[in-house]
Amino acid sequence: MLEHDLLHFFENKDYEHAHEHIDQFFRDCALQDLSSEVVLQSLIGLVSGLTNISFFTHLNIAHFLELRLAFIKFLSSQNLKIEDFRDILFDIVQTFFSYNDEPTRNVDFSRVSKQVALTAYYINMHRYERLRID
């Protein structure tokens, strides 16, 4: 539910409520029972969701794809611990929201190449797998 709510707040450019919701989540939930794999999947899912919303709300998709790549590369290379979850979650949300605050520019999707669209689709469909260049 946290991921769903954060995506909603991102779509509505409501950082204040996103921040409050994260705080509430950590006050109300016991995270000790989560494995690092669950934490990793949650964070990658959030990064993917934020990127997808960016695409569909006509924001500058290039920035968001760069962010997505950077975060997924970082997350995939780390041995995440539950203690890291809160800080990394805040970093992801803050970073994506900071790009969201840039002036909105409409993207002419008729000018996006088929290869770019297929690549974005492939990444989304395989977001829980380690991505390869090929």
Side-chain angles (χ1 to χ4, degrees):
M1 286 305 291
L2 176 63
E3 181 182 334
H4 173 271
D5 293 343
L6 291 175
L7 295 176
H8 169 77
F9 295 134
F10 179 71
E11 188 170 13
N12 292 297
K13 300 182 179 186
D14 189 355
Y15 181 73
E16 183 178 323
H17 282 106
H19 194 274
E20 290 172 14
H21 205 73
I22 293 171
D23 283 337
Q24 171 110 25
F25 173 80
F26 284 100
R27 278 193 304 272
D28 296 345
C29 295
L31 299 176
Q32 302 87 323
D33 299 333
L34 291 179
S35 71
S36 56
E37 184 64 29
V38 170
V39 170
L40 176 64
Q41 289 177 1
S42 297
L43 293 172
I44 289 175
L46 177 63
V47 168
S48 297
L50 292 170
T51 309
N52 288 337
I53 287 176
S54 304
F55 186 74
F56 290 111
T57 56
H58 307 290
L59 297 172
N60 186 339
I61 193 64
H63 287 145
F64 290 94
L65 287 174
E66 288 173 19
L67 274 179
R68 178 179 175 147
L69 180 62
F71 273 119
I72 290 176
K73 184 176 179 180
F74 168 78
L75 292 170
S76 299
S77 68
Q78 300 299 307
N79 185 13
L80 295 179
K81 300 179 181 98
I82 295 300
E83 304 85 48
D84 302 328
F85 183 53
R86 181 186 178 102
D87 292 338
I88 294 172
L89 179 64
F90 269 115
D91 187 40
I92 289 170
V93 169
Q94 182 178 0
T95 304
F96 271 91
F97 271 77
S98 71
Y99 275 82
N100 198 358
D101 289 336
E102 290 183 356
T104 302
R105 289 184 272 165
N106 288 333
V107 176
D108 180 4
F109 291 103
S110 66
R111 299 184 71 181
V112 173
S113 74
K114 182 178 179 181
Q115 189 64 35
V116 169
L118 288 172
T119 302
Y121 175 78
Y122 177 85
I123 290 170
N124 184 50
M125 296 309 295
H126 296 87
R127 63 180 165 227
Y128 298 114
E129 300 171 19
R130 184 173 218 103
L131 295 176
R132 300 181 322 268
I133 296 297
D134 60 324

